[in-house]
Amino acid sequence: MLRLTGGLAGMAAVAQFAPAPAAAAPRFPDNPFSLGVASGEPLPHGVVLWTRLAPEPLSEDGLGGMPPRDVAVRWEVAEDPGMRRVVRRGTAAAKRDFAHSVHVEVTGLRPGREYWYRFRAGRELSAVGRTKTAPPAGSLTPMTLAFATCQSWSDGFYTAYRHLAGQDLDLVAHLGDYIYEYPVGRTSGPRGTDLSAAHNAETLTLDQYRLRYALYRTDPDLRAAHAAAPWTVTVDDHDVEDNWADETSFSGASPEDLLRRRAAAFRAYYEHLPLRASSLPRGPDMRLHRTLDYGRLARFHVLDARQFRDPMDISRRDDPARSMLGAAQERWLLDRLADSGATWNVLAQQVLMMQLDRLTDPGLQQLNADAWDGYTAGRARLLDGIAERRVANPVVLTGDMHVNMAGTVRRDFADPSSPAVAPEFVTTSVSSGGNGADTGPQAEEWLAANPHLAFYNGQRGYVRCTVTPDEWRADYLVVDRVSVPDGSVSTRRSFVVESGRPDLQEA
């Protein structure tokens, strides 16, 4: 793999986690916590806390109106939302080289507990966020999670996140396309916000990616969702460039240019999300595949289906030399699945795993080369490996499609009676694609052509899952419209999977 030297690659090695500098209390022209607070990557005894100082969040240099120096930020964690029973506190450095973002890896907390947290910079206090630690090892305590994806700022309002923020969740999984790299017009989409010309350009450089993340995180519903529960996240294509694969640009850019762009995109991604130091980018490389354990109830295998994949080529879909995950990540995943003692083994990943003939007329041209249908040899290795290792209750959570779907992943999609390996729940977009529609000709064609597909819906929203040792329940929450800020949310469909039986049942 090509590597960048100097510049971003060198900056990535800066010790963000060094003690905060001693400095006079800073003064800010406006609220420095304009991008909110967040938590993520929960463990039984700790979580990551995040914020970024940005009193002028849409400053065109991407630096949020901050001075060119590091700033000390105080943080505290309490057992109550009023922040009276503080149990952990400290000081972190909001470093200029990281756009004054703060990532605090708090330890010493109790497992399976709610906590509240906030930050202070100078005289300014942040909003209070809620988080929750993972349960202790061996626990079978039920949990509730939500997963979401694809939130084009230009395409509509984040009503789904407003609803999600009120759900008392243990975890939120974001499966990619947190931002879109396309130009954002001066009065883009239904929001009608008057933006500067700097937004009306495709993101290529670090300052442009920082500005784009800041724009997205000014949304109050997105901020509320981050403040309501811990998140785990992974990237998809639009977080860098549409349909990129490893060092291959879909737009035809050179490998050197794509890696330079990837380094900028990954750096801004890290700066704006509650990730651990283990995910700190090194130039164009970033460790995103990882596991999160929720006692003995569930193990979440968070996958990276972009950084190691072979370029799209539908004519070579059955080539065993080609891979979606790359050989090392494939081995890692099968090893982690094999040693899991969890009741449910969750694959939190980006693109559709089920086969999908997109029209009733069969043929390669009907398959999506960007999804697992373009990497069928790799999919077969994964599904065979799951079966051979007798992995308990695999569940696939998927984004990317901009539609809701539910179906069954089978060993052989050519044979409807082939053994079921796992249910797959596909969440629609939060806003991408605009209002959408409940059904239509595409729904009818896809359902008719794919007997393993049980549900299709083209509205916006997210999926909420309730998990117990006996069953996995998925509720599809849909928004009637995202073209206005006051859309309403309802439950469109619900499915249940019983432990030990991978086939879907309607709830």
Side-chain angles (χ1 to χ4, degrees):
M1 167 165 306
L2 293 169
R3 292 289 184 271
L4 297 181
T5 57
L8 284 170
M11 288 167 60
V14 174
Q16 187 192 9
F17 307 96
R27 294 181 179 273
F28 303 100
D30 208 337
N31 172 24
F33 298 106
S34 61
L35 304 182
V37 300
S39 69
E41 303 303 300
L43 299 174
H45 297 286
V47 296
V48 178
L49 305 182
W50 173 93
T51 194
R52 180 191 165 200
L53 303 181
E56 298 171 4
L58 302 186
S59 173
E60 293 183 3
D61 61 3
L63 296 177
M66 287 294 292
R69 60 182 175 85
D70 300 346
V71 174
V73 176
R74 297 281 297 170
W75 58 269
E76 54 186 3
V77 177
E79 293 179 331
D80 66 298
M83 303 299 295
R84 290 180 294 273
R85 299 192 300 275
V86 174
V87 294
R88 289 288 182 274
R89 56 166 50 98
T91 303
K95 299 187 79 68
R96 178 183 183 277
D97 287 343
F98 287 84
H100 293 97
S101 62
V102 176
H103 297 73
V104 179
E105 298 188 16
V106 181
T107 59
L109 303 179
R110 295 167 63 185
R113 284 288 306 270
E114 284 184 305
Y115 289 96
W116 288 263
Y117 62 94
R118 67 183 177 187
F119 298 89
R120 181 191 295 272
R123 298 178 180 178
E124 303 292 336
L125 274 176
S126 75
V128 174
R130 169 195 174 271
T131 192
K132 191 172 183 181
T133 53
S139 169
L140 288 172
T141 303
M143 70 176 298
T144 303
L145 66 126
F147 64 103
T149 190
C150 301
Q151 54 197 45
S152 171
W153 189 91
S154 302
D155 284 1
F157 292 91
Y158 293 164
T159 309
Y161 281 136
R162 187 191 319 154
H163 187 269
L164 181 152
Q167 294 300 295
D168 192 24
L169 300 169
D170 297 293
L171 182 69
V172 176
H174 194 279
L175 303 181
D177 293 347
Y178 192 96
I179 64 162
Y180 280 71
E181 78 280 24
Y182 304 134
V184 178
R186 188 173 182 84
T187 55
S188 183
R191 293 174 180 260
T193 306
D194 191 12
L195 299 172
S196 72
H199 297 272
N200 196 21
E202 187 166 350
T203 52
L204 296 170
T205 65
L206 179 57
D207 59 343
Q208 289 176 315
Y209 278 105
R210 283 171 169 168
L211 180 60
R212 186 61 51 84
Y213 277 97
L215 174 65
Y216 277 50
R217 294 207 65 146
T218 58
D219 183 273
D221 295 329
L222 179 57
R223 292 201 308 270
H226 271 294
W231 285 42
T232 188
V233 300
T234 190
V235 300
D236 199 11
D237 53 341
H238 291 290
D239 299 300
V240 179
E241 175 198 88
D242 186 26
N243 288 344
W244 69 278
D246 194 8
E247 298 177 11
T248 301
S249 165
F250 190 68
S251 67
S254 69
E256 293 82 2
D257 284 344
L258 178 63
L259 289 177
R260 190 173 293 108
R261 182 178 189 175
R262 210 172 87 183
F266 282 180
R267 179 59 167 267
Y269 186 83
Y270 175 83
E271 290 171 347
H272 288 85
L273 289 163
L275 287 159
R276 293 188 177 276
S278 55
S279 292
L280 181 67
R282 297 294 190 269
D285 302 326
M286 187 177 189
R287 175 64 182 252
L288 286 165
H289 59 283
R290 59 204 188 276
T291 58
L292 284 175
D293 285 336
Y294 269 70
R296 197 160 56 83
L297 180 71
R299 170 172 287 181
F300 292 87
H301 308 261
V302 182
L303 304 187
D304 178 351
R306 287 289 163 191
Q307 204 170 171
F308 310 106
R309 69 154 69 187
D310 288 291
M312 288 189 294
D313 185 349
I314 196 66
S315 67
R316 298 180 59 203
R317 62 196 293 264
D318 295 324
D319 184 346
R322 287 169 44 78
S323 175
M324 170 76 77
L325 303 177
Q329 188 179 183
E330 278 191 23
R331 289 192 300 271
W332 166 86
L333 175 57
L334 289 173
D335 287 346
R336 295 299 282 153
L337 287 165
D339 68 22
S340 173
T343 302
W344 301 93
N345 281 280
V346 187
L347 276 60
Q349 54 104 51
Q350 295 86 342
V351 295
L352 190 67
M353 187 170 289
M354 289 182 286
Q355 179 174 295
L356 183 67
D357 289 327
R358 292 182 287 183
L359 292 173
T360 51
D361 178 23
L364 287 183
Q365 69 273 17
Q366 314 304 345
L367 302 176
N368 183 357
D370 189 54
W372 283 90
D373 274 341
Y375 302 81
T376 51
R379 180 172 64 193
R381 283 194 300 272
L382 175 58
L383 299 183
D384 289 348
I386 289 173
E388 290 163 3
R389 289 160 177 78
R390 299 183 178 180
V391 175
N393 296 314
V395 175
V396 182
L397 307 183
T398 300
D400 181 63
M401 293 292 292
H402 299 185
V403 296
N404 286 311
M405 294 195 293
T408 303
V409 179
R410 298 191 179 278
R411 294 282 293 273
D412 181 2
F413 288 101
D415 179 6
S417 65
S418 175
V421 177
E424 182 169 9
F425 300 109
V426 183
T427 184
T428 186
S429 62
V430 168
S431 60
S432 304
N435 288 329
D438 182 17
T439 188
Q442 178 172 279
E444 297 170 4
E445 291 172 345
W446 288 12
L447 288 166
N450 299 276
H452 49 276
L453 184 61
F455 172 59
Y456 173 105
N457 164 271
Q459 294 170 285
R460 309 282 76 86
Y462 71 98
V463 180
R464 179 186 62 211
C465 300
T466 305
V467 187
T468 73
D470 297 322
E471 71 173 29
W472 183 291
R473 179 189 176 103
D475 298 315
Y476 284 81
L477 285 303
V478 300
V479 184
D480 65 340
R481 52 184 179 166
V482 296
S483 54
V484 295
D486 58 350
S488 62
V489 178
S490 62
T491 303
R492 176 61 181 81
R493 196 88 168 261
S494 297
F495 291 92
V496 167
V497 178
E498 296 178 1
S499 179
R501 298 180 58 189
D503 291 298
L504 292 172
Q505 302 175 49
E506 190 157 359

